[in-house]
Amino acid sequence: MSEPEEFLSRTLDPRSLRGLAHPLRIQLLRALRRHGPATASQLAERLGESSGATSYHLRQLAAVGFVEDDPTRGKGRERWWKAAQQGTSLDETIHRNPDPEVQGALEVFLFEMATIHTQELNTYLGTRHDWDDDWQGASDMSDFTLRLPIEKLRELTGKVHELMDSYRDSADADAPDAERVRVHLHAFPQQED
């Protein structure tokens, strides 16, 4: 059994958020995190973009530390990129940042994340019959409505993140029947009807 790779996450600050907040940049970073190192041309083909566009946006991501060269790959002029971290989180203070550019970048980032989550869920629902019954029975699509003050919501979110981290470091990741599992967490206030 191999040692689990350390999970590196990046907390967004105003500068890194502005550098990431572009739909293609988010897609590029997601592709590198999900599929591993690739060239700009490979990413262009995967995402249906031009290699000029992917190359430009990869350089922009590198400038703010989201991607980096992969020196273990490539020959000659071929440049391979890899994700510098496996996860991204938002610092709570970014929501209160008064800079309109930061707020615009936050809107792009949040809406792109919501779109990705919706696409992933729809893909699963469209392909769920490709999985055996045990996997279908183990998957979950629940929702809960709670009445909580702000601090209790922070506590709940923190505990869920701790729980996710404990499963990420599990030795069961190398089990013969282990599969990649996506877990989405959405916790937000809702107006009473």
Side-chain angles (χ1 to χ4, degrees), residues 43-62:
L43 290 164
E45 186 175 329
R46 177 181 294 280
L47 299 175
E49 296 286 338
S50 74
S51 60
T54 56
S55 182
Y56 170 78
H57 287 291
L58 284 164
R59 289 191 307 273
Q60 298 303 306
L61 286 168

Side-chain angles (χ1 to χ4, degrees), residues 17 34-35 42 78 106 115 126 130-131 137 147 150 157 168 172-173:
L17 174 62
R34 184 170 184 183
H35 302 289
Q42 291 169 335
E78 188 176 56
L106 181 59
T115 298
D130 296 345
W131 296 94
R147 278 192 74 75
I150 293 168
T157 303
R168 179 181 292 114
D172 292 333

Side-chain angles (χ1 to χ4, degrees), residues 36-108:
T39 66
S41 296
Q42 291 169 335
L43 290 164
E45 186 175 329
R46 177 181 294 280
L47 299 175
E49 296 286 338
S50 74
S51 60
T54 56
S55 182
Y56 170 78
H57 287 291
L58 284 164
R59 289 191 307 273
Q60 298 303 306
L61 286 168
V64 288
F66 285 104
V67 301
E68 58 194 16
D69 284 316
D70 185 349
T72 66
R73 299 176 185 260
K75 298 175 181 89
R77 294 172 35 110
E78 188 176 56
R79 188 173 189 181
W80 283 73
W81 297 93
K82 66 179 182 176
Q85 309 88 22
Q86 293 79 37
T88 305
S89 62
L90 282 171
D91 183 305
E92 182 178 317
T93 62
I94 220 148
H95 294 277
R96 294 187 294 274
N97 189 303
D99 184 339
E101 279 189 44
V102 172
Q103 290 306 306
L106 181 59
E107 292 298 313
V108 169

